[in-house]
Amino acid sequence: DGAGIMKALGYNEYSVMGWSDGANAAMYLAANKEVKDAVKKLVVFGGNSYVTEEDIEAYEAVRDVSKSWSERMRTDKSAAHGGLETLQILNDRYTDAMRKILYDYNGDVCLTELHNITCPTLIIHGALDVICHEYHAQYIAKHITNSKLEVLEEGKHNLHMKYADQFRTIVGDFLTDSPENKYQEDDDEPQPDIDHIAYGFMGSKSLFAALRVGIFDAIDSVDGSATFNDIETACDISGERLKTLLSACVALKLIRRRIDENGTDLFHLPKASSKQLVRTSRQYWGDYLSMQVDGQFYNRLADIDNTIKHGTEASHGYESWFDSDPEAAKNYTKAQHNGSLATAYALHKRLPELASDFPSMRMLDVGGGSGAFSIVTSRVIQDATAVVLDLPNVIETTKSIISEEEESVRSRVSTLALSATDPGSWTNVVEEESFDVVLLSYVSGSIPSEALAGLYSNAFRALKPGGKAIIHDFFINNDGRGPPNAALWALAHISVNPAGMGLIPKRVINILSEQGFIAPRVHELIPGMTKVIVAKKKNA
């Protein structure tokens, strides 16, 4: 309606500002593909793209207009809406509607739409707002490309009234700021360290070599600090080569070095290396680094320029790779298991509602590889069952890994040899509406982009009403500016899957929405590297 009014008035370009639910309406307008080009700038405050239980508590706290509203607010709003009785009816309707959004639509207000907003956007928030909490403003700012967040420390929900002058200045400066000023800000950003980037591969190989020859284990095995002779004996390496490798690791801060009063070199490990690079540590993931990152991706990246130039003529995808080299499939799966167990635990910590929503969860683990996520789910949720779906030559290794688990776990994890990239192959094999959760971890970026819609459609059909799809992968932010590790992993996947999609939340969420999913929420999982998108199949 707002766009229609502006068009009728003869305005083809305009900026939009919205407060509270008006902010949500403004975001819908700025995201609408038919009219969004007319919106040149957007200002929102007091809005929310989703509703939580905490929000409902806040709405319920002000449900009774006569008791919980200030006299001034009650008087002004009663006059505007035809009396106190009518105002109470309207507020009841609003509160009930918010409850319905939470329980029927998983809290989705405009979770998909905000990813499709491309105009410069200013989000303003009052730090003392008890109606709309700050995490809403932060979420909106994080997922709208080209946005910035201003927080007024003393502001409440009606910050534009109490702090009118400050509000007017902030909004006025934003609306009158030119694109040229933005480009000037970009020019002031730190410059790239070309040397660090160019020589970075040498650092990687130093880490991998130290893992392979056992330097971290050797240092850890000594009480206190290790001498050069201790390391030399344990690793069965002598001379200048070992000294040079140790120097590289010290320079990279992978190892600490000091000299005692006798002039003897002493080496010890920092906490990060002790936790992650020593084989006896519960957080060890060195096999993943040496077997998969170094042993497989490092070699494939040696020819990345050719793959980028020639695409599928240079590489034909994971399925083709594993079919032609069963040993590679086995090593990839075993290495992935070493890296994925900790990530699986992190997923359940990040999404604790999975256990409460589905205490007897049945999960389909698509492209589940070693079964790490299914194994951890069965360990964490006592009555959960899981089916690992992956390629036939992967599933053989999966079965072996699952068999090493305790009976109470392995009896609840089964396997299904099937290609995730062929939607038709699921027909009459994967039961429809039979799973509470469909997990797709590291799958979306590992298959041809043209297969994504079919994959998500299959996931939708496999889910029970009210079930959830969980997409976990290396996602670049919507603005395409990072994070660096996610961007580098996306490049690494091109070496195997040149027909794949560069994943950003916006693109994946739009495909999920096209398949019927609602309420797509984005969460960080591995900081600076992976994200999780949780989307729901609507309740029956």
Side-chain angles (χ1 to χ4, degrees):
D1 292 342
I5 290 172
M6 295 303 288
K7 184 176 181 179
L9 292 173
Y11 292 101
N12 296 319
E13 294 183 355
Y14 45 84
S15 293
V16 178
M17 181 163 65
W19 171 46
S20 197
D21 284 317
N24 302 340
M27 287 190 284
Y28 266 99
L29 175 59
N32 188 294
K33 62 182 180 181
E34 295 183 4
V35 298
K36 63 182 295 182
D37 289 344
V39 181
K40 295 307 170 186
K41 290 189 176 182
L42 174 67
V43 179
V44 293
F45 55 107
N48 55 307
S49 59
Y50 60 92
V51 179
T52 68
E53 290 281 2
E54 188 177 2
D55 296 324
I56 295 300
E57 292 176 6
Y59 299 146
E60 290 290 355
V62 294
R63 180 189 278 271
D64 191 330
V65 172
S66 62
K67 294 181 179 179
S68 59
W69 289 32
S70 69
E71 182 177 353
R72 177 184 174 185
M73 181 71 75
R74 187 168 56 246
T75 300
D76 290 348
K77 297 301 181 183
S78 294
H81 294 289
L84 185 61
E85 183 177 350
T86 302
L87 180 62
Q88 183 62 63
I89 292 172
L90 292 174
N91 197 47
D92 284 337
R93 288 178 179 174
Y94 174 81
T95 305
D96 291 341
M98 291 298 104
R99 296 183 71 91
K100 184 176 179 62
I101 289 173
L102 176 60
Y103 299 121
D104 289 357
Y105 296 91
N106 207 39
D108 191 351
V109 176
C110 56
L111 283 167
T112 298
E113 287 72 22
L114 64 87
H115 290 272
N116 293 312
I117 296 171
T118 54
C119 65
T121 301
L122 171 65
I123 301 100
I124 309 176
H125 180 74
L128 303 181
D129 189 340
V130 297
I131 300 298
C132 184
H133 296 280
E134 188 169 337
Y135 55 74
H136 285 300
Q138 292 172 343
Y139 190 89
I140 292 169
K142 189 169 187 176
H143 296 292
I144 294 180
T145 303
N146 196 14
S147 67
K148 69 175 183 176
L149 172 63
E150 291 273 358
V151 177
L152 303 189
E153 295 301 329
E154 301 299 321
K156 297 182 180 180
H157 197 59
N158 60 346
L159 57 85
H160 60 304
M161 300 177 186
K162 188 169 184 179
Y163 299 98
D165 291 340
Q166 185 179 1
F167 178 84
R168 188 183 302 113
T169 298
I170 293 171
V171 173
D173 289 346
F174 172 73
L175 293 177
T176 56
D177 191 25
S178 67
E180 288 72 20
N181 291 337
K182 183 66 173 68
Y183 297 141
Q184 181 61 47
E185 291 176 11
D186 290 342
D187 289 341
D188 293 338
E189 290 184 359
Q191 297 301 306
D193 186 339
I194 305 299
D195 287 350
H196 183 76
I197 296 169
Y199 305 145
F201 78 97
M202 299 179 189
S204 300
K205 292 301 278 188
S206 298
L207 167 60
F208 301 148
L211 278 168
R212 290 181 185 277
V213 301
I215 286 179
F216 302 110
D217 293 329
I219 295 175
D220 182 73
S221 67
V222 178
D223 290 333
S225 298
T227 65
F228 180 81
N229 288 338
D230 292 331
I231 302 170
E232 189 176 41
T233 300
C235 298
D236 194 25
I237 304 173
S238 61
E240 296 299 325
R241 295 191 302 278
L242 179 58
K243 289 182 180 180
T244 302
L245 179 56
L246 282 170
S247 294
C249 291
V250 168
L252 293 168
K253 296 182 171 52
L254 294 167
I255 297 172
R256 299 283 191 257
R257 173 182 176 268
R258 66 183 178 86
I259 302 174
D260 69 7
E261 62 275 10
N262 298 316
T264 303
D265 283 336
L266 298 176
F267 301 89
H268 69 280
L269 301 179
K271 290 181 180 179
S273 296
S274 294
K275 288 181 179 180
Q276 301 177 53
L277 304 177
V278 174
R279 191 172 295 276
T280 55
S281 170
R282 293 182 62 184
Q283 295 173 273
Y284 172 74
W285 61 306
D287 287 350
Y288 169 75
L289 293 172
S290 60
M291 292 173 63
Q292 188 181 105
V293 178
D294 182 32
Q296 295 180 319
F297 276 106
Y298 204 96
N299 293 329
R300 298 193 71 94
L301 279 166
D303 201 32
I304 188 65
D305 53 340
N306 183 53
T307 305
I308 289 173
K309 287 180 179 179
H310 302 290
T312 54
E313 295 179 16
S315 182
H316 300 286
Y318 282 90
E319 191 166 346
S320 175
W321 178 25
F322 291 165
D323 282 343
S324 64
D325 190 348
E327 190 65 21
K330 179 180 179 180
N331 290 337
Y332 188 99
T333 305
K334 291 173 67 175
Q336 190 67 46
H337 189 66
N338 181 249
S340 289
L341 286 171
T343 307
Y345 279 111
L347 177 70
H348 281 279
K349 186 176 181 179
R350 189 67 184 83
L351 303 174
E353 65 272 17
L354 291 177
S356 56
D357 289 349
F358 310 110
S360 300
M361 178 196 298
R362 188 168 188 239
M363 182 175 80
L364 179 62
D365 188 358
V366 180
S370 70
F373 283 86
S374 292
I375 289 169
V376 169
T377 297
S378 298
R379 291 176 184 173
V380 171
I381 304 177
Q382 184 176 357
D383 295 323
T385 59
V387 179
V388 182
L389 184 157
D390 214 315
L391 299 169
N393 48 12
V394 171
I395 287 296
E396 291 306 310
T397 304
T398 309
K399 290 178 179 179
S400 174
I401 292 171
I402 293 172
S403 70
E404 297 174 4
E405 291 293 311
E406 295 181 0
E407 169 65 21
S408 61
V409 172
R410 67 173 181 261
S411 63
R412 291 182 286 124
V413 181
S414 58
T415 60
L416 180 59
L418 204 64
S419 171
T421 62
D422 180 9
S425 67
W426 290 34
T427 307
N428 301 322
V429 178
V430 178
E431 313 102 292
E432 294 192 7
E433 297 194 347
S434 59
F435 292 93
D436 301 297
V437 171
V438 175
L439 172 67
L440 303 101
S441 179
Y442 300 130
V443 177
S444 299
S446 302
I447 65 174
S449 58
E450 62 186 20
L452 277 180
L455 176 63
Y456 296 164
S457 177
N458 276 346
F460 187 86
R461 289 198 298 271
L463 282 170
K464 301 174 185 177
K468 294 181 178 180
I470 301 175
I471 316 297
H472 170 236
D473 224 304
F474 300 102
F475 280 96
I476 300 170
N477 297 333
N478 282 339
D479 62 10
R481 301 178 72 175
N485 284 343
L488 293 175
W489 263 113
L491 181 67
H493 279 301
I494 285 181
S495 70
V496 183
N497 178 43
M501 175 187 289
L503 300 180
I504 61 173
K506 171 183 175 179
R507 299 178 74 179
V508 169
I509 283 172
N510 283 334
I511 298 174
L512 287 167
S513 298
E514 290 168 1
Q515 306 313 313
F517 286 101
I518 63 170
R521 286 274 303 276
V522 182
H523 308 267
E524 297 289 327
L525 191 58
I526 302 176
M529 191 173 297
T530 70
K531 293 180 174 63
V532 170
I533 298 176
V534 182
K536 185 178 181 181
K537 183 174 183 176
K538 194 175 183 298
N539 296 328

